[in-house]
Amino acid sequence: DDGKINKKELKSSLRLRSSLEAADLLDSLDSSCRGSLGFSEWLVAASSASFFCDGTLAKHAFVTLDSDGDGLISTRDLLDALPHVFTEEELAEEMKRYDTNGDGCIDMEEFCALLKEELS
């Protein structure tokens, strides 16, 4: 498993009727054009566009994902908030991209940077 959601997994997890429907959905969400969705693409896809323009909503999403309330999003927090979506190893690998201070977690500033990067 590579930490990404491919067309077959997307079809299965969303219970889509056809592979064509899954392919169309994946194509519309796959901002990296790699044929699969990473965690950050999934996060953007699961949120409305207005979410990214509203700091209050972004903060609410952050607090929701910070399941232990320590002000940081860890892989454990994400596993608690998104059970059975990604493995701990998949999340840890994806989080490395956005953990700019190297503490192993995502703080609010890094979370906002993640959201902005995925929109551009």
Side-chain angles (χ1 to χ4, degrees), residues 3-39:
K4 308 286 184 191
I5 297 174
N6 63 32
K7 179 178 65 174
K8 182 179 178 183
E9 294 163 334
L10 188 65
K11 179 184 176 198
S12 173
S13 65
L14 296 180
R15 297 185 182 111
L16 300 174
R17 287 179 247 140
S18 73
S19 293
L20 184 58
E21 187 178 15
D24 287 344
L25 181 57
L26 182 66
D27 288 344
S28 71
L29 301 175
D30 182 17
S31 63
S32 66
C33 300
R34 294 185 206 145
S36 60
L37 296 178
F39 171 71

Side-chain angles (χ1 to χ4, degrees), residues 22 27 31 35 68 72 86 89-90 104 107:
D27 288 344
S31 63
D68 62 9
L72 300 168
F86 298 99
E89 295 78 21
E90 292 166 346
D107 61 28

Side-chain angles (χ1 to χ4, degrees), residues 97-108:
R97 294 178 51 203
Y98 302 101
D99 178 21
T100 57
N101 65 9
D103 66 355
C105 297
I106 303 295
D107 61 28
M108 185 63 189

